[in-house]
């Protein structure tokens, strides 16, 4: 079937209160409303359809869930590609590109929680072509619904962020095994934006490949993002381990969130973005792994463990531009242990002159009751040299800090 146009207020296909419909092999062009709208219908299949130049959200699901959208191509729309105001849906194997706003958005509305949606094996690029102030908080894949699973997607070269889960409503979601690169191309300064972002509690961010994004690599932000797990990600290089593919700002940034676990990651080459302001003190803003508390209150629980920072198991010289790990602004009582922290502080943009960094830095009312235990800093596992530029550990104004069992080389 081919649908050339629809008038304002009319969808090309509208399913209301219907189940077990199949829409397959259809082409939609230049609709003034949605290409496909499902309202209070479930268990429907939308497969191998193509939409181009749709003015509203191209495919939108509301109400009853358990729908599947697969093998679809959605491009050049003036809004989001796919909208899920519905639960237990699957979006898979779709190509979503060059849309003005986001690619896939999952949003609770009224009684509809938009929970337990699965977004997998999709390719999304060139979206957010016209970032709108009403939608700039939405990444290319964006979920505000609980227990969303986002995995094995490729998300690249989008003007906005790559993948995000937002607010307390996005709790218990999983972001895993995605490849996310070249995003945030509209980024012009330091804030929380990231290739992968969460402000939701109990989130797992696992085994993602995150590189060459203009903003932060991974950011967990706000008190609502408690008990997040950031594990086994590669942040700052591709699958070949190529150099100079770091993210522009922090590799991993935990901001105001308690109970975090940052474990088993490789964090390299980050922090030399073109969006930096050369007039400010960059080491105060950027690190391989940065933990920052609120101005009022504190971050007082979390662990950074078993990460490679500035190197990898093959002893790559892949330092982050400034410090390997920074605790900044009211971060207390966390543990930094069993990390390998090498080669950091050498790669800052030349406009910063002699600014560099070291292994671990504690700054600005942080560090009380912190434990720094059993790390290799400036030295590899085989005792070969991997010195950081300026220092092994730098502590400013903290008390009751435990520094024990570390091996520090220069």
């Amino acid at each position: 079937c081919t649908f050339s146009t629809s008038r304002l207020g009319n969808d090309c296909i509208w399913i209301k209160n219907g189940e077990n419909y199949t829409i397959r092999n259809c082409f939609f062009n230049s609709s003034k409303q949605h290409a496909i709208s499902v309202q209070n219908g479930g268990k429907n299949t939308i497969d191998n359809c193509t939409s181009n130049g749709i003015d509203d959200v191209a495919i939108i699901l509301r109400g009853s869930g358990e729908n599947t959208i697969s093998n679809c191509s959605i491009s050049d729309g003036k809004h989001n590609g796919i909208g899920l105001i519905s639960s237990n849906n699957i979006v898979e194997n779709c190509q979503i590109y060059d849309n003005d706003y986001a690619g896939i958005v999952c949003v609770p509305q009224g009684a509809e929680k938009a929970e337990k949606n699965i977004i997998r094996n999709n390719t999304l690029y060139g979206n957010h072509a016209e970032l709108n102030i009403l939608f700039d908080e939405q990444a290319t894949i964006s979920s505000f619904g609980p227990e969303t699973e986002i995995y094995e997607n490729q998300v690249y070269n989008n003007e906005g962020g790559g993948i995000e889960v937002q607010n307390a409503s996005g709790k218990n979601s999983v972001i895993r095994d995605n490849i996310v690169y070249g995003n945030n191309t509209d980024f012009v300064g330091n804030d929380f934006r990231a290739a992968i972002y969460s402000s939701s509690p109990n989130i797992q961010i696992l085994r993602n490949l995150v590189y060459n994004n203009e903003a932060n690599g991974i950011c967990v932000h706000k008190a609502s993002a408690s008990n997040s797990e950031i594990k086994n990600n590669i942040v700052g290089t591709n699958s070949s381990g190529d150099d100079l593919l770091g993210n522009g700002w922090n590799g991993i940034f935990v901001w105001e969130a308690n109970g975090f676990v940052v474990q088993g990651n490789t964090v390299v080459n980050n922090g030399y973005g073109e969006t930096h302001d050369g007039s400010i003190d960059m080491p105060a803003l950027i690190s391989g792994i940065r933990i920052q508390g609120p101005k009022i209150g504190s971050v007082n629980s979390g662990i950074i463990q078993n990460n490679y920072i500035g190197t990898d198991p093959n002893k790559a010289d892949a330092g982050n531009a400034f410090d390997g790990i920074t605790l900044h602004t009211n971060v207390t009582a966390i543990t930094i242990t069993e990390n390998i922290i090498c080669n950091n502080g050498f790669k800052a943009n030349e406009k910063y002159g002699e600014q560099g960094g070291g292994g671990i830095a504690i700054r600005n009312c942080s560090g009380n009751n912190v434990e720094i235990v059993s790390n290799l800093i400036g030295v590899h596992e085989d005792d070969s040299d991997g010195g950081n530029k300026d220092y092994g550990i730098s502590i400013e104004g903290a008390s009751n800090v435990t520094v024990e069992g570390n091996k520090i080389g220069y």
Side-chain angles (χ1 to χ4, degrees):
C1 299
T2 298
F3 298 81
S4 293
T5 59
S6 70
R7 293 180 299 174
L8 184 64
N10 292 297
D11 305 314
C12 292
I13 295 178
W14 179 35
I15 298 173
K16 185 176 182 181
N17 300 325
E19 292 189 349
N20 299 310
Y21 284 85
T22 297
I23 304 171
R24 180 173 285 128
N25 300 329
C26 292
F27 181 82
F28 304 90
N29 185 51
S30 301
S31 171
K32 297 298 182 183
Q33 199 73 22
H34 308 296
I36 301 172
S37 176
V38 178
Q39 185 174 351
N40 297 322
K43 302 178 181 177
N44 300 293
T45 298
I46 302 168
D47 180 63
N48 200 37
C49 292
T50 298
S51 76
N52 179 268
I54 307 301
D55 282 4
D56 209 326
V57 180
I59 301 175
I60 189 163
L61 308 179
R62 297 184 179 94
S64 302
E66 300 182 52
N67 303 283
T68 298
I69 304 171
S70 58
N71 304 305
C72 292
S73 175
I74 301 171
S75 64
D76 296 297
K78 300 186 185 306
H79 209 292
N80 300 321
I82 295 174
L84 305 177
I85 310 173
S86 177
S87 297
N88 298 297
N89 302 287
I90 297 173
V91 180
E92 62 183 358
N93 303 318
C94 294
Q95 299 266 340
I96 304 174
Y97 59 97
D98 294 343
N99 297 286
D100 282 1
Y101 297 168
I104 303 170
V105 178
C106 175
V107 184
Q109 191 174 89
E112 177 50 62
K113 294 181 180 179
E115 65 184 356
K116 299 182 180 178
N117 289 297
I118 294 173
I119 301 169
R120 65 188 180 198
N121 296 314
N122 302 285
T123 300
L124 303 98
Y125 60 91
N127 297 289
H128 279 305
E130 296 291 337
L131 279 174
N132 183 297
I133 192 170
L134 298 177
F135 296 94
D136 65 356
E137 81 284 1
Q138 294 179 354
T140 305
I141 299 176
S142 183
S143 177
F144 296 74
E147 298 183 59
T148 306
E149 294 185 53
I150 303 170
Y151 61 91
E152 297 179 1
N153 302 280
Q154 292 195 49
V155 185
Y156 61 94
N157 296 348
N158 299 282
E159 289 196 26
I163 300 172
E164 70 179 7
V165 291
Q166 282 263 31
N167 301 341
S169 60
K171 63 185 178 181
N172 302 325
S173 294
V174 178
I175 303 171
R176 66 168 177 85
D177 300 301
N178 301 281
I179 300 174
V180 187
Y181 65 92
N183 300 289
N184 294 115
T185 58
D186 70 316
F187 189 68
V188 294
N190 182 44
D191 61 20
F192 54 81
R193 283 181 289 178
I196 297 178
Y197 173 87
S198 170
S199 59
S200 302
N202 304 313
I203 300 303
Q204 294 180 301
I205 302 173
L206 312 173
R207 300 186 303 277
N208 300 282
L209 188 60
V210 183
Y211 64 93
N212 204 32
N213 299 282
E214 290 291 332
N216 300 290
I218 297 172
C219 180
V220 171
H221 178 220
K222 299 183 181 179
S224 57
S226 59
N227 303 316
S228 299
E229 295 184 4
I230 305 171
K231 294 183 176 180
N232 302 316
N233 302 279
I234 296 176
V235 184
T237 190
N238 59 16
S239 58
S240 300
D242 293 334
D243 197 9
L244 301 178
L245 291 176
N247 301 288
W249 289 69
N250 299 286
I252 296 174
F253 186 12
V254 178
W255 190 1
E256 302 181 356
N258 272 295
F260 62 86
V261 177
V262 177
Q263 183 179 66
N265 304 282
T266 298
V267 184
V268 294
N269 300 317
N270 299 289
Y272 49 86
E274 292 300 319
T275 57
H276 298 172
D277 180 351
S279 66
I280 58 179
D281 182 17
M282 299 312 298
L285 296 174
I286 296 178
S287 306
I289 298 175
R290 176 182 179 82
I291 314 299
Q292 182 168 326
K295 292 181 179 179
I296 300 175
S298 66
V299 169
N300 54 35
S301 61
I303 186 168
I304 304 170
Q305 183 176 26
N306 287 123
N307 302 281
Y308 285 95
I309 305 166
T311 189
D312 65 11
N314 297 316
K315 303 192 296 184
D317 182 358
N320 299 285
F322 301 106
D323 291 321
I325 298 174
T326 299
L327 310 184
H328 199 282
T329 312
N330 299 324
V331 179
T332 65
I334 73 163
T335 299
I336 302 171
T337 185
E338 299 175 339
N339 301 282
I340 300 173
I341 309 167
C342 294
N343 306 314
N344 298 289
F346 293 100
K347 291 187 177 179
N349 191 299
E350 61 183 13
K351 65 186 175 184
Y352 302 118
E354 294 300 314
Q355 292 190 74
I360 299 173
I362 296 178
R363 308 275 187 251
N364 195 34
C365 302
S366 288
N368 293 346
N369 303 307
V370 165
E371 295 185 357
I372 304 173
V373 178
S374 302
N375 300 280
L376 297 178
I377 305 172
V379 61
H380 293 285
E381 292 158 293
D382 63 358
D383 289 335
S384 60
D385 177 60
N388 300 288
K389 182 174 185 288
D390 293 332
Y391 42 78
I393 301 172
S394 175
I395 301 172
E396 298 178 359
S399 60
N400 298 317
V401 182
T402 299
V403 180
E404 183 175 270
N406 303 284
K407 184 179 288 188
I408 303 175
Y410 298 96

